[in-house]
């Protein structure tokens, strides 16, 4: 009973958090207008509202931290048996500045490995992770070789990409379609579809799995340029800053995905 009450409280707080984010965006725009107008009364009102929102964020973060602790400690029974089979391919998107924190990235990979994830794609826009790929792969192998039974039994296939991978793929696919359909002036030009683009990417060697779930670590709530053609049915979850990542929050995000029933349109 206590578990369900806490889940309901956390759900309500997340709804309030989303509303507070919208309010924060509007307040930031309003602040610029107030500052330029020189109205002291409005400026003081803005400060008070900012203080209230800041206190609320602190309270939400406190509740999320407590929930994460209860999950990772095993107090919330519904999170103990995690069916990882539905997450066949996981994408993890990192802000490039946060991707510089190699130890945090390694810790995240170890958590994913221990949880049983087999296929993971790491992405950051500027290619920080690609430059560290050899070190990351070496660490994964050394974990198993040094006697970590859980890591050894649950091998992780790791893909590492950046924004340039998607950019080059689109350029090559467009050139492929141009040569195939538009060079011959006498040929009938077809109306290109999403399937044509997918086929072109496959022909030039850029076919890749579509992630079932994407976890975003960083200050912004977007995929930061991850190849869009791989996100047709992907569930996207913002996890907050990498430096504040929590094992319980990771379990919660993956479990929530496994409990969702997806309906695919035609």
């Amino acid at each position: 009973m206590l578990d369900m009450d806490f889940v309901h409280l956390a759900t309500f707080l997340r709804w309030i958090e989303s509303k507070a984010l919208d309010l924060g965006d509007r307040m930031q725009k309003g602040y610029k207008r107030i500052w330029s107008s020189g109205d002291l009364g409005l400026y003081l009102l803005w400060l008070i509202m900012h203080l209230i929102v800041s206190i609320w964020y602190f309270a939400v973060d406190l509740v999320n931290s407590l929930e994460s602790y209860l999950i990772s400690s095993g107090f919330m029974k519904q999170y103990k048996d995690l069916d990882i089979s539905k997450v066949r391919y996981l994408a993890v998107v990192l802000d490039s500045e946060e991707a510089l924190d190699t130890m945090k990235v390694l810790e995240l990979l170890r958590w994913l490995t221990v949880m049983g994830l087999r296929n993971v794609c790491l992405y950051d826009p500027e290619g920080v992770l690609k430059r560290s790929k050899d070190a990351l792969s070496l660490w994964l192998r050394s974990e198993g070789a040094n006697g970590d039974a859980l890591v050894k039994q649950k091998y992780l296939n790791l893909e590492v990409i950046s924004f340039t991978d998607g950019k080059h793929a689109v350029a090559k696919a467009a050139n492929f379609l141009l040569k195939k359909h538009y060079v011959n002036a006498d040929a009938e030009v077809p109306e290109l579809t999403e399937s044509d683009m997918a086929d072109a990417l496959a022909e030039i060697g850029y076919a890749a799995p579509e992630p079932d779930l994407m976890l975003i670590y960083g200050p912004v709530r977007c995929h930061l340029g991850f190849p869009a053609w791989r996100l047709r049915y992907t569930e996207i979850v913002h996890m907050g800053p990498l430096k504040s990542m929590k094992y319980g929050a990771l379990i919660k995000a993956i479990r929530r995905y496994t409990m969702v029933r997806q309906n695919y349109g035609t």
Side-chain angles (χ1 to χ4, degrees):
M1 185 65 180
L2 178 60
D3 288 351
M4 291 305 298
D5 289 342
F6 192 87
V7 170
H8 292 155
L9 174 60
T11 302
F12 172 71
L13 288 175
R14 283 193 295 272
W15 178 79
I16 295 295
E17 181 185 16
S18 66
K19 298 301 180 183
L21 284 172
D22 294 338
L23 177 61
D25 291 339
R26 290 195 294 269
M27 286 176 60
Q28 185 65 27
K29 295 176 182 178
Y31 169 74
K32 295 178 180 178
R33 291 195 296 268
I34 291 169
W35 182 257
S36 60
S37 68
D39 191 317
L40 180 60
L42 287 176
Y43 178 66
L44 291 174
L45 178 61
W46 184 90
L47 288 178
I48 294 171
M49 291 294 294
H50 186 271
L51 177 62
I52 293 173
V53 172
S54 298
I55 293 173
W56 176 255
Y57 274 130
F58 174 79
V60 169
D61 185 62
L62 185 63
V63 170
N64 287 337
S65 298
L66 177 59
E67 183 187 28
S68 177
Y69 170 77
L70 292 175
I71 292 173
S72 58
S73 300
F75 289 109
M76 302 181 74
K77 297 179 181 179
Q78 65 267 36
Y79 292 95
K80 284 187 176 181
D81 297 322
L82 190 64
D83 180 13
I84 210 71
S85 62
K86 290 185 68 175
V87 188
R88 293 161 297 183
Y89 206 89
L90 175 72
V92 178
V93 172
L94 299 170
D95 177 79
S96 291
E97 285 192 15
E98 302 206 357
L100 292 169
D101 192 345
T102 307
M103 295 308 297
K104 277 292 185 182
V105 176
L106 290 176
E107 185 178 12
L108 177 60
L109 287 177
R110 189 181 190 284
W111 287 351
L112 295 173
T113 305
V114 170
M115 291 171 64
L117 270 299
R118 296 299 179 89
N119 302 292
V120 173
C121 175
L122 287 181
Y123 170 90
D124 79 280
E126 297 176 16
V128 173
L129 294 169
K130 287 185 71 174
R131 294 192 289 271
S132 307
K133 181 179 180 180
D134 291 339
L136 295 173
S137 300
L138 179 63
W139 173 85
L140 288 172
R141 292 195 297 269
S142 66
E143 283 282 301
N146 291 335
D148 192 321
L150 286 174
V151 173
K152 190 173 183 179
Q153 293 171 11
K154 301 175 180 178
Y155 182 73
L156 185 70
N157 298 311
L158 187 63
E159 177 189 9
V160 184
I161 61 174
S162 66
F163 179 77
T164 55
D165 293 295
K167 184 178 180 180
H168 292 161
V170 170
K172 290 182 178 180
N175 190 49
F176 175 86
L177 292 172
L178 175 66
K179 292 178 179 178
K180 183 177 181 179
H181 297 293
Y182 293 89
V183 171
N184 188 350
D186 297 328
E188 183 179 353
V189 178
E191 184 177 339
L192 297 179
T193 64
E194 183 179 333
S195 297
D196 294 315
M197 188 64 175
D199 292 342
L201 289 166
E203 286 287 341
I204 62 175
Y206 279 90
E210 296 183 14
D212 302 295
L213 175 64
M214 172 182 285
L215 304 178
I216 301 175
Y217 287 92
V220 296
R221 295 171 178 258
C222 70
H223 59 69
L224 298 175
F226 189 96
W229 61 87
R230 297 178 60 179
L231 301 177
R232 290 182 297 174
Y233 304 111
T234 302
E235 186 80 12
I236 301 177
V237 180
H238 182 249
M239 301 294 290
L242 183 67
K243 63 181 179 181
S244 303
M245 70 177 187
K246 299 176 179 63
Y247 185 62
L250 184 61
I251 294 176
K252 178 182 174 182
I254 293 177
R255 181 183 181 275
R256 183 185 297 174
Y257 171 78
T258 63
M259 300 299 291
V260 171
R261 177 179 177 181
Q262 289 187 321
N263 296 316
Y264 300 94
T266 57

